[in-house]
Amino acid sequence: SRCGAACRRVVVEGRIEARCASLFGHQSGGGRIGGSPLIQGVNYPGLPSLPTDPDRLLKVIHDYQHKYAGAGAEAWPETFTMIAGMLTNLWVAPELQAALFQAMAKIPGVTVVQDTVDAAGRRGMALALVDDQVRFEVILDKGTYRYLGLASIVTSDHHELVGPVNGKEFKLPMRKGQVLYRTARLALAIVDAPHKQPRDAATKPGSASGTGP
C-alpha cells in the first residue's frame, strides 16, 4: 500500500522479521529511513514557510510528491501519507494544523469514518483513504479535532506479496477488518534536546510541555 506506514510482521522459519515503510513513503531498513526529506527540506523550523490556505497548501504538497518524490501522475495517496506524517511526527502550530486537516479532506477519495478507535482505546472520528485494499485512518477527537493517532485496516480479503525475505517472496493472507496497526499519541511536547523526556506532559494539556494542539 502506498498509503500509510504498516510495519508488517512476517514469520519466516520461526523468526519474526519486520518489513516497514515510513510515513513518508520511503522504505526503511537497518534502522535508517532513506529517501528525500519533507517538502524542499521542510522540518520543524521550516513549517512556518508553508501556506495556511488549505487549497494552496494541498497544491504545494501534491506538486512536491508529483515532481520531486517520484510519485505517479495522481500522487494522491502519497499526498495523504505526507500530511499524516507531518501531523504525526512534527509539532504543528494550530493554524497550520487546521489547514492540513482541511487540505487532507479535499484529497479525492478521502472519506470520514464517524467512529473508530486508537491504540489507547480512545474513540474518535477519522479522515480515511482506501489504497490497495487497505484503509488508512488519521484519527481525531470528535469534539476538539485533536490528533489522536493512526490506524490501518484491511477492507477486503486478499493476499499481499511480501518480501523478498532471504531471497524469497511470500503471499501474506489479509482478511477484511484485520487491523494492521493502530497508534496513539498520548502527549506532545517541546523539549530542550534530543532524547529528553517532557516533564509533567500528561498533566498540562495544551501547554508547550503538554499534549500540544
Short mmCIF file of all heavy atoms in Angstrom, two decimals, residues 80-134:
data_model
loop_
_atom_site.label_atom_id
_atom_site.label_comp_id
_atom_site.label_asym_id
_atom_site.label_seq_id
_atom_site.Cartn_x
_atom_site.Cartn_y
_atom_site.Cartn_z
N PHE A 80 -1.66 12.22 0.85
CA PHE A 80 -2.35 11.89 2.10
C PHE A 80 -1.35 11.41 3.14
O PHE A 80 -1.36 11.83 4.31
CB PHE A 80 -3.40 10.82 1.83
CG PHE A 80 -4.28 10.48 3.01
CD1 PHE A 80 -5.50 11.11 3.20
CD2 PHE A 80 -3.89 9.51 3.92
CE1 PHE A 80 -6.31 10.80 4.29
CE2 PHE A 80 -4.69 9.20 5.01
CZ PHE A 80 -5.91 9.84 5.19
N THR A 81 -0.45 10.54 2.71
CA THR A 81 0.55 9.99 3.61
C THR A 81 1.49 11.05 4.15
O THR A 81 1.85 11.04 5.33
CB THR A 81 1.34 8.89 2.88
OG1 THR A 81 0.47 7.83 2.51
CG2 THR A 81 2.46 8.33 3.76
N MET A 82 1.91 11.98 3.29
CA MET A 82 2.81 13.03 3.75
C MET A 82 2.14 13.92 4.80
O MET A 82 2.75 14.27 5.82
CB MET A 82 3.31 13.87 2.59
CG MET A 82 4.16 15.06 3.05
SD MET A 82 5.00 15.91 1.70
CE MET A 82 6.48 14.90 1.60
N ILE A 83 0.88 14.28 4.57
CA ILE A 83 0.17 15.10 5.55
C ILE A 83 0.05 14.35 6.87
O ILE A 83 0.28 14.91 7.94
CB ILE A 83 -1.21 15.52 5.02
CG1 ILE A 83 -1.04 16.44 3.81
CG2 ILE A 83 -2.01 16.22 6.11
CD1 ILE A 83 -2.35 16.81 3.14
N ALA A 84 -0.29 13.06 6.79
CA ALA A 84 -0.38 12.25 8.01
C ALA A 84 0.96 12.22 8.74
O ALA A 84 1.02 12.29 9.97
CB ALA A 84 -0.82 10.83 7.67
N GLY A 85 2.05 12.12 7.98
CA GLY A 85 3.38 12.10 8.58
C GLY A 85 3.73 13.40 9.26
O GLY A 85 4.34 13.41 10.34
N MET A 86 3.35 14.53 8.66
CA MET A 86 3.61 15.83 9.28
C MET A 86 2.83 15.97 10.58
O MET A 86 3.35 16.45 11.59
CB MET A 86 3.25 16.94 8.29
CG MET A 86 4.14 16.97 7.07
SD MET A 86 3.53 18.07 5.77
CE MET A 86 3.85 19.66 6.52
N LEU A 87 1.57 15.54 10.58
CA LEU A 87 0.75 15.62 11.78
C LEU A 87 1.27 14.70 12.87
O LEU A 87 1.17 15.00 14.07
CB LEU A 87 -0.70 15.27 11.46
CG LEU A 87 -1.45 16.26 10.56
CD1 LEU A 87 -2.73 15.64 10.05
CD2 LEU A 87 -1.74 17.55 11.32
N THR A 88 1.84 13.56 12.47
CA THR A 88 2.29 12.56 13.43
C THR A 88 3.66 12.91 14.02
O THR A 88 3.87 12.75 15.22
CB THR A 88 2.38 11.18 12.74
OG1 THR A 88 1.08 10.82 12.26
CG2 THR A 88 2.86 10.11 13.72
N ASN A 89 4.57 13.38 13.20
CA ASN A 89 5.97 13.47 13.59
C ASN A 89 6.47 14.86 13.94
O ASN A 89 7.60 15.00 14.42
CB ASN A 89 6.85 12.90 12.47
CG ASN A 89 6.57 11.43 12.24
OD1 ASN A 89 6.42 10.67 13.18
ND2 ASN A 89 6.48 11.03 10.99
N LEU A 90 5.67 15.89 13.69
CA LEU A 90 6.10 17.26 13.93
C LEU A 90 5.12 17.99 14.83
O LEU A 90 3.92 17.72 14.80
CB LEU A 90 6.22 18.03 12.60
CG LEU A 90 7.19 17.45 11.56
CD1 LEU A 90 7.07 18.23 10.26
CD2 LEU A 90 8.63 17.48 12.06
N TRP A 91 5.63 18.92 15.64
CA TRP A 91 4.75 19.82 16.37
C TRP A 91 4.29 20.88 15.39
O TRP A 91 5.10 21.64 14.85
CB TRP A 91 5.47 20.47 17.55
CG TRP A 91 4.52 21.22 18.44
CD1 TRP A 91 3.88 20.75 19.54
CD2 TRP A 91 4.11 22.58 18.28
NE1 TRP A 91 3.09 21.73 20.09
CE2 TRP A 91 3.20 22.87 19.34
CE3 TRP A 91 4.40 23.59 17.36
CZ2 TRP A 91 2.59 24.12 19.49
CZ3 TRP A 91 3.79 24.83 17.50
CH2 TRP A 91 2.91 25.08 18.55
N VAL A 92 2.98 20.93 15.14
CA VAL A 92 2.42 21.82 14.13
C VAL A 92 1.57 22.88 14.82
O VAL A 92 0.68 22.55 15.61
CB VAL A 92 1.57 21.03 13.11
CG1 VAL A 92 1.01 21.96 12.04
CG2 VAL A 92 2.41 19.93 12.46
N ALA A 93 1.82 24.14 14.50
CA ALA A 93 1.03 25.23 15.08
C ALA A 93 -0.44 25.07 14.72
O ALA A 93 -0.77 24.54 13.65
CB ALA A 93 1.56 26.58 14.58
N PRO A 94 -1.34 25.51 15.59
CA PRO A 94 -2.78 25.29 15.37
C PRO A 94 -3.30 25.74 14.01
O PRO A 94 -4.09 25.03 13.38
CB PRO A 94 -3.44 26.08 16.50
CG PRO A 94 -2.42 26.07 17.59
CD PRO A 94 -1.09 26.15 16.90
N GLU A 95 -2.87 26.92 13.53
CA GLU A 95 -3.37 27.42 12.25
C GLU A 95 -2.96 26.50 11.10
O GLU A 95 -3.76 26.18 10.22
CB GLU A 95 -2.87 28.84 12.00
CG GLU A 95 -3.50 29.49 10.78
CD GLU A 95 -3.05 30.93 10.57
OE1 GLU A 95 -2.14 31.38 11.30
OE2 GLU A 95 -3.60 31.60 9.67
N LEU A 96 -1.70 26.06 11.10
CA LEU A 96 -1.24 25.15 10.05
C LEU A 96 -1.87 23.78 10.22
O LEU A 96 -2.22 23.12 9.23
CB LEU A 96 0.29 25.04 10.08
CG LEU A 96 0.91 24.11 9.03
CD1 LEU A 96 0.51 24.51 7.61
CD2 LEU A 96 2.43 24.08 9.16
N GLN A 97 -2.04 23.31 11.45
CA GLN A 97 -2.67 22.03 11.68
C GLN A 97 -4.09 22.02 11.12
O GLN A 97 -4.51 21.06 10.45
CB GLN A 97 -2.71 21.71 13.17
CG GLN A 97 -3.34 20.36 13.49
CD GLN A 97 -3.21 20.00 14.96
OE1 GLN A 97 -2.32 19.26 15.33
NE2 GLN A 97 -4.08 20.54 15.78
N ALA A 98 -4.84 23.09 11.34
CA ALA A 98 -6.20 23.19 10.79
C ALA A 98 -6.16 23.15 9.27
O ALA A 98 -7.00 22.49 8.64
CB ALA A 98 -6.87 24.46 11.29
N ALA A 99 -5.19 23.84 8.69
CA ALA A 99 -5.07 23.85 7.23
C ALA A 99 -4.73 22.46 6.70
O ALA A 99 -5.23 22.05 5.64
CB ALA A 99 -4.01 24.86 6.80
N LEU A 100 -3.88 21.72 7.42
CA LEU A 100 -3.54 20.36 6.99
C LEU A 100 -4.77 19.45 7.02
O LEU A 100 -4.99 18.65 6.11
CB LEU A 100 -2.43 19.79 7.89
CG LEU A 100 -1.04 20.36 7.67
CD1 LEU A 100 -0.10 19.94 8.80
CD2 LEU A 100 -0.47 19.91 6.32
N PHE A 101 -5.57 19.56 8.07
CA PHE A 101 -6.79 18.76 8.14
C PHE A 101 -7.73 19.10 6.98
O PHE A 101 -8.30 18.21 6.33
CB PHE A 101 -7.53 19.00 9.46
CG PHE A 101 -6.85 18.40 10.67
CD1 PHE A 101 -6.89 19.05 11.90
CD2 PHE A 101 -6.19 17.19 10.59
CE1 PHE A 101 -6.27 18.51 13.02
CE2 PHE A 101 -5.57 16.63 11.70
CZ PHE A 101 -5.62 17.30 12.91
N GLN A 102 -7.90 20.40 6.72
CA GLN A 102 -8.78 20.82 5.63
C GLN A 102 -8.23 20.40 4.28
O GLN A 102 -9.00 20.00 3.39
CB GLN A 102 -8.98 22.33 5.69
CG GLN A 102 -9.74 22.81 6.92
CD GLN A 102 -9.80 24.32 7.01
OE1 GLN A 102 -10.30 25.00 6.11
NE2 GLN A 102 -9.23 24.88 8.07
N ALA A 103 -6.91 20.48 4.11
CA ALA A 103 -6.31 20.04 2.85
C ALA A 103 -6.50 18.54 2.66
O ALA A 103 -6.83 18.08 1.56
CB ALA A 103 -4.82 20.40 2.85
N MET A 104 -6.31 17.77 3.73
CA MET A 104 -6.49 16.32 3.64
C MET A 104 -7.91 15.97 3.23
O MET A 104 -8.13 15.05 2.43
CB MET A 104 -6.14 15.69 4.99
CG MET A 104 -6.27 14.19 5.03
SD MET A 104 -5.72 13.50 6.62
CE MET A 104 -3.95 13.47 6.38
N ALA A 105 -8.88 16.70 3.76
CA ALA A 105 -10.28 16.42 3.45
C ALA A 105 -10.61 16.68 1.98
O ALA A 105 -11.59 16.15 1.46
CB ALA A 105 -11.19 17.25 4.34
N LYS A 106 -9.79 17.50 1.30
CA LYS A 106 -10.01 17.83 -0.10
C LYS A 106 -9.40 16.81 -1.06
O LYS A 106 -9.65 16.87 -2.27
CB LYS A 106 -9.43 19.22 -0.41
CG LYS A 106 -10.17 20.37 0.28
CD LYS A 106 -9.44 21.69 0.04
CE LYS A 106 -10.18 22.87 0.67
NZ LYS A 106 -11.41 23.22 -0.07
N ILE A 107 -8.62 15.88 -0.55
CA ILE A 107 -7.99 14.88 -1.41
C ILE A 107 -9.04 13.94 -1.99
O ILE A 107 -9.90 13.43 -1.25
CB ILE A 107 -6.94 14.07 -0.61
CG1 ILE A 107 -5.78 14.99 -0.21
CG2 ILE A 107 -6.43 12.89 -1.42
CD1 ILE A 107 -4.77 14.32 0.69
N PRO A 108 -9.03 13.71 -3.29
CA PRO A 108 -10.02 12.81 -3.89
C PRO A 108 -10.01 11.43 -3.24
O PRO A 108 -8.94 10.84 -3.04
CB PRO A 108 -9.57 12.72 -5.36
CG PRO A 108 -8.83 14.00 -5.60
CD PRO A 108 -8.14 14.32 -4.31
N GLY A 109 -11.19 10.94 -2.89
CA GLY A 109 -11.32 9.62 -2.29
C GLY A 109 -11.32 9.61 -0.77
O GLY A 109 -11.62 8.58 -0.16
N VAL A 110 -10.98 10.73 -0.15
CA VAL A 110 -10.97 10.78 1.32
C VAL A 110 -12.39 10.81 1.84
O VAL A 110 -13.25 11.56 1.34
CB VAL A 110 -10.18 12.02 1.82
CG1 VAL A 110 -10.42 12.26 3.31
CG2 VAL A 110 -8.70 11.83 1.57
N THR A 111 -12.66 10.00 2.85
CA THR A 111 -13.98 9.93 3.48
C THR A 111 -13.83 10.15 4.98
O THR A 111 -12.72 10.14 5.52
CB THR A 111 -14.64 8.57 3.23
OG1 THR A 111 -13.81 7.53 3.79
CG2 THR A 111 -14.84 8.31 1.75
N VAL A 112 -14.96 10.34 5.65
CA VAL A 112 -14.98 10.49 7.10
C VAL A 112 -15.51 9.20 7.72
O VAL A 112 -16.59 8.73 7.36
CB VAL A 112 -15.87 11.67 7.52
CG1 VAL A 112 -15.96 11.76 9.06
CG2 VAL A 112 -15.31 12.98 6.97
N VAL A 113 -14.72 8.62 8.61
CA VAL A 113 -15.16 7.47 9.41
C VAL A 113 -15.69 8.05 10.72
O VAL A 113 -14.94 8.67 11.47
CB VAL A 113 -14.00 6.49 9.67
CG1 VAL A 113 -14.46 5.35 10.57
CG2 VAL A 113 -13.47 5.94 8.34
N GLN A 114 -16.97 7.84 10.98
CA GLN A 114 -17.60 8.51 12.12
C GLN A 114 -17.22 7.92 13.47
O GLN A 114 -17.26 8.62 14.48
CB GLN A 114 -19.13 8.47 11.96
CG GLN A 114 -19.65 9.25 10.77
CD GLN A 114 -19.43 10.76 10.90
OE1 GLN A 114 -19.14 11.28 11.98
NE2 GLN A 114 -19.55 11.46 9.80
N ASP A 115 -16.81 6.66 13.49
CA ASP A 115 -16.46 6.06 14.78
C ASP A 115 -15.32 5.07 14.58
O ASP A 115 -15.43 4.11 13.82
CB ASP A 115 -17.66 5.34 15.39
CG ASP A 115 -17.37 4.86 16.81
OD1 ASP A 115 -17.01 5.69 17.66
OD2 ASP A 115 -17.50 3.65 17.07
N THR A 116 -14.21 5.33 15.25
CA THR A 116 -13.06 4.43 15.21
C THR A 116 -12.34 4.54 16.54
O THR A 116 -12.78 5.25 17.44
CB THR A 116 -12.13 4.78 14.02
OG1 THR A 116 -11.13 3.78 13.89
CG2 THR A 116 -11.50 6.14 14.20
N VAL A 117 -11.23 3.83 16.71
CA VAL A 117 -10.54 3.80 17.99
C VAL A 117 -9.04 3.80 17.77
O VAL A 117 -8.55 3.21 16.80
CB VAL A 117 -10.99 2.57 18.82
CG1 VAL A 117 -10.59 1.28 18.11
CG2 VAL A 117 -10.41 2.60 20.23
N ASP A 118 -8.30 4.51 18.64
CA ASP A 118 -6.85 4.50 18.52
C ASP A 118 -6.25 3.40 19.40
O ASP A 118 -6.97 2.64 20.05
CB ASP A 118 -6.26 5.88 18.84
CG ASP A 118 -6.35 6.26 20.32
OD1 ASP A 118 -6.79 5.42 21.14
OD2 ASP A 118 -5.98 7.40 20.66
N ALA A 119 -4.93 3.32 19.44
CA ALA A 119 -4.26 2.24 20.17
C ALA A 119 -4.46 2.34 21.68
O ALA A 119 -4.26 1.35 22.39
CB ALA A 119 -2.77 2.22 19.84
N ALA A 120 -4.84 3.52 22.17
CA ALA A 120 -5.08 3.69 23.61
C ALA A 120 -6.53 3.44 23.99
O ALA A 120 -6.90 3.59 25.15
CB ALA A 120 -4.68 5.10 24.04
N GLY A 121 -7.34 3.04 23.00
CA GLY A 121 -8.74 2.76 23.27
C GLY A 121 -9.64 3.99 23.23
O GLY A 121 -10.83 3.89 23.54
N ARG A 122 -9.11 5.14 22.84
CA ARG A 122 -9.92 6.34 22.76
C ARG A 122 -10.73 6.34 21.47
O ARG A 122 -10.19 6.12 20.39
CB ARG A 122 -9.02 7.59 22.82
CG ARG A 122 -8.21 7.71 24.09
CD ARG A 122 -7.23 8.86 24.03
NE ARG A 122 -6.23 8.67 22.98
CZ ARG A 122 -5.21 9.49 22.77
NH1 ARG A 122 -5.08 10.57 23.53
NH2 ARG A 122 -4.34 9.25 21.80
N ARG A 123 -12.01 6.62 21.59
CA ARG A 123 -12.87 6.64 20.42
C ARG A 123 -12.77 8.01 19.75
O ARG A 123 -12.61 9.04 20.39
CB ARG A 123 -14.31 6.34 20.80
CG ARG A 123 -14.48 5.02 21.54
CD ARG A 123 -15.78 4.34 21.21
NE ARG A 123 -15.78 3.78 19.86
CZ ARG A 123 -15.31 2.57 19.54
NH1 ARG A 123 -14.76 1.80 20.47
NH2 ARG A 123 -15.36 2.14 18.29
N GLY A 124 -12.85 7.99 18.43
CA GLY A 124 -12.76 9.22 17.68
C GLY A 124 -13.35 9.04 16.30
O GLY A 124 -13.95 8.01 15.97
N MET A 125 -13.19 10.07 15.48
CA MET A 125 -13.54 10.01 14.07
C MET A 125 -12.24 9.99 13.28
O MET A 125 -11.16 10.15 13.86
CB MET A 125 -14.37 11.23 13.68
CG MET A 125 -13.67 12.54 13.96
SD MET A 125 -14.51 13.99 13.28
CE MET A 125 -14.18 13.76 11.53
N ALA A 126 -12.33 9.78 11.98
CA ALA A 126 -11.10 9.72 11.19
C ALA A 126 -11.33 10.24 9.78
O ALA A 126 -12.42 10.09 9.21
CB ALA A 126 -10.58 8.28 11.12
N LEU A 127 -10.29 10.86 9.24
CA LEU A 127 -10.19 11.09 7.81
C LEU A 127 -9.48 9.86 7.25
O LEU A 127 -8.43 9.46 7.76
CB LEU A 127 -9.39 12.36 7.52
CG LEU A 127 -10.05 13.67 7.97
CD1 LEU A 127 -9.07 14.83 7.81
CD2 LEU A 127 -11.32 13.93 7.18
N ALA A 128 -10.07 9.26 6.22
CA ALA A 128 -9.57 7.96 5.76
C ALA A 128 -9.47 7.91 4.24
O ALA A 128 -10.24 8.56 3.53
CB ALA A 128 -10.49 6.84 6.26
N LEU A 129 -8.51 7.13 3.78
CA LEU A 129 -8.33 6.89 2.35
C LEU A 129 -8.03 5.42 2.14
O LEU A 129 -7.16 4.86 2.81
CB LEU A 129 -7.19 7.75 1.80
CG LEU A 129 -6.95 7.66 0.29
CD1 LEU A 129 -8.14 8.24 -0.47
CD2 LEU A 129 -5.68 8.41 -0.11
N VAL A 130 -8.75 4.80 1.21
CA VAL A 130 -8.51 3.40 0.87
C VAL A 130 -7.52 3.33 -0.29
O VAL A 130 -7.71 4.00 -1.31
CB VAL A 130 -9.82 2.69 0.49
CG1 VAL A 130 -9.53 1.25 0.03
CG2 VAL A 130 -10.78 2.67 1.67
N ASP A 131 -6.49 2.53 -0.11
CA ASP A 131 -5.47 2.35 -1.14
C ASP A 131 -5.01 0.91 -1.10
O ASP A 131 -4.60 0.41 -0.05
CB ASP A 131 -4.29 3.30 -0.90
CG ASP A 131 -3.22 3.19 -1.96
OD1 ASP A 131 -3.56 3.23 -3.16
OD2 ASP A 131 -2.04 3.04 -1.61
N ASP A 132 -5.07 0.21 -2.25
CA ASP A 132 -4.64 -1.19 -2.33
C ASP A 132 -5.34 -2.06 -1.28
O ASP A 132 -4.69 -2.85 -0.58
CB ASP A 132 -3.12 -1.30 -2.18
CG ASP A 132 -2.38 -0.70 -3.36
OD1 ASP A 132 -3.00 -0.53 -4.43
OD2 ASP A 132 -1.19 -0.40 -3.23
N GLN A 133 -6.65 -1.88 -1.14
CA GLN A 133 -7.49 -2.71 -0.27
C GLN A 133 -7.17 -2.55 1.21
O GLN A 133 -7.44 -3.43 2.02
CB GLN A 133 -7.41 -4.18 -0.68
CG GLN A 133 -7.80 -4.43 -2.13
CD GLN A 133 -7.69 -5.88 -2.54
OE1 GLN A 133 -8.55 -6.69 -2.23
NE2 GLN A 133 -6.61 -6.22 -3.23
N VAL A 134 -6.59 -1.41 1.57
CA VAL A 134 -6.31 -1.09 2.97
C VAL A 134 -6.79 0.33 3.23
O VAL A 134 -6.51 1.24 2.44
CB VAL A 134 -4.80 -1.22 3.29
CG1 VAL A 134 -4.51 -0.73 4.72
CG2 VAL A 134 -4.34 -2.66 3.14
#
